[in-house]
Amino acid sequence: MGRYMRVMLSALLIVTGVLVFLPSGYVGAGGMVVNQSFELGEGEVPYGWNLTGNAARVDTGPSSAGNWTARITGDGDMLTQWVLLGNSTLPLPLTYDAWGWIYVSGNVTGVIALDFWMGVNGTQLSSTTMLSANVTNGAYVQGTSTMMAPTGTTCLRIRLLGTGWNEGAEVRFDEIGFYPVTGYCFIATAAYGTETASQLNILRDFRDQILLKNALGSRFVEAYYKLSPPVAAFIAKNDFLRAVVREVLVDPVVNILQWSQDLWRA
């Protein structure tokens, strides 16, 4: 067990550092986890969300991840988050996967509403995609959809709400996510010259199996997605720098993860 933990810790520290320069396969224009869960926040306010009415972040006991969820209990309650995707010069349209877990009690419909905008509170560019659920019989159910961001998109608006309210009803939300289906692997493309380099698969797997399964790793991945494009643009201009990033940083990490993958994939 001690050897296992040392291998895991070493791999995590190395990959965490290198991922500042090297993205995973989900990296693209605006790719990010919006809220790995609602475990992060202060008091009743979840990280990154604005609350309206009696909407709140509450400890409801074990849910789809952790104990904390977003909860609304009446008409007019809503949680809103604006996700910045970049500027209007990004190569669009891009296709994104969106998902979220919904718990519904009572005669009401829980809704995750998503739409693309140019600017926060600026111009809405797309129709609204609705992930919804009715009574879920005491469990969380997942809603999923695929969305295409129109040219000019800079933001995604996400709203958590309910429709058709009746007294005593309740809706909870957890694990809201948003990723490009196929995007631009900014720095990985710069380093390897392609988005499909086989060496990147191991980094993607480590991200999915380790980093995205805890709050700290998820916040790191989200921050990286926001910071990587200018670094990639700088690397792409210099063949020597691309080779250094690839051979000095990426390949050694890939080798370590390949050697230890039976441990961290277990």
Side-chain angles (χ1 to χ4, degrees), residues 8 11-13 15-17 19 22 24 33 36 179 203-221 224-225 264:
M8 286 295 299
L12 178 59
L13 289 175
V15 173
T16 299
L19 282 178
L22 295 169
S24 62
V33 172
Q36 178 70 3
Y179 272 10
L203 296 176
R204 297 166 184 162
D205 197 21
F206 186 82
R207 180 213 54 207
D208 292 341
Q209 296 293 328
I210 302 298
L211 293 181
L212 291 183
K213 290 188 176 181
N214 65 82
L216 180 60
S218 297
R219 295 305 302 166
F220 173 82
V221 172
Y224 161 72
Y225 287 164
W264 53 264

Side-chain angles (χ1 to χ4, degrees), residues 13 18 42 87 95 99 149 168 175 180 186 195 239 251:
L13 289 175
V18 170
E42 298 182 3
N87 57 53
T95 301
W99 68 90
E175 294 291 311
F186 292 117
E195 296 177 0
D239 289 341
D251 287 344

Side-chain angles (χ1 to χ4, degrees), residues 59-67 140 172:
D59 186 346
T60 57
S63 59
S64 65
N67 291 343
Y140 283 82
R172 305 175 194 168

Side-chain angles (χ1 to χ4, degrees), residues 121-134:
N121 292 316
T123 303
Q124 183 172 339
L125 300 180
S126 73
S127 59
T128 299
T129 297
M130 311 279 269
L131 312 181
S132 63
N134 296 316

Side-chain angles (χ1 to χ4, degrees), residues 81-202:
Q81 182 175 116
W82 289 89
V83 181
L84 300 179
L85 303 181
N87 57 53
S88 58
T89 63
L90 290 174
L92 298 172
L94 288 178
T95 301
Y96 292 85
D97 280 339
W99 68 90
W101 292 83
I102 309 172
Y103 170 102
V104 180
S105 174
N107 187 18
V108 65
T109 300
V111 176
I112 302 172
L114 309 101
D115 33 55
F116 291 108
W117 290 64
M118 179 183 289
V120 175
N121 292 316
T123 303
Q124 183 172 339
L125 300 180
S126 73
S127 59
T128 299
T129 297
M130 311 279 269
L131 312 181
S132 63
N134 296 316
V135 176
T136 59
N137 298 316
Y140 283 82
V141 298
Q142 187 180 44
T144 63
S145 185
T146 299
M147 306 172 61
M148 182 170 288
T151 300
T153 293
T154 62
C155 305
L156 170 77
R157 182 181 65 171
I158 304 175
R159 293 171 293 159
L160 312 181
L161 62 148
T163 61
W165 278 99
N166 284 280
E167 186 176 354
E170 177 188 55
V171 180
R172 305 175 194 168
F173 301 92
D174 204 2
E175 294 291 311
I176 312 299
F178 180 74
Y179 272 10
V181 176
T182 55
Y184 293 82
C185 298
F186 292 117
I187 301 171
T189 300
Y192 277 107
T194 176
E195 296 177 0
T196 60
S198 60
Q199 293 92 335
L200 300 182
N201 292 333
I202 193 73

Side-chain angles (χ1 to χ4, degrees), residues 236-250:
K237 297 176 182 178
N238 189 306
D239 289 341
F240 174 75
L241 185 56
R242 288 176 55 231
V244 169
V245 171
R246 181 177 64 251
E247 296 176 11
V248 176
L249 292 176
V250 188

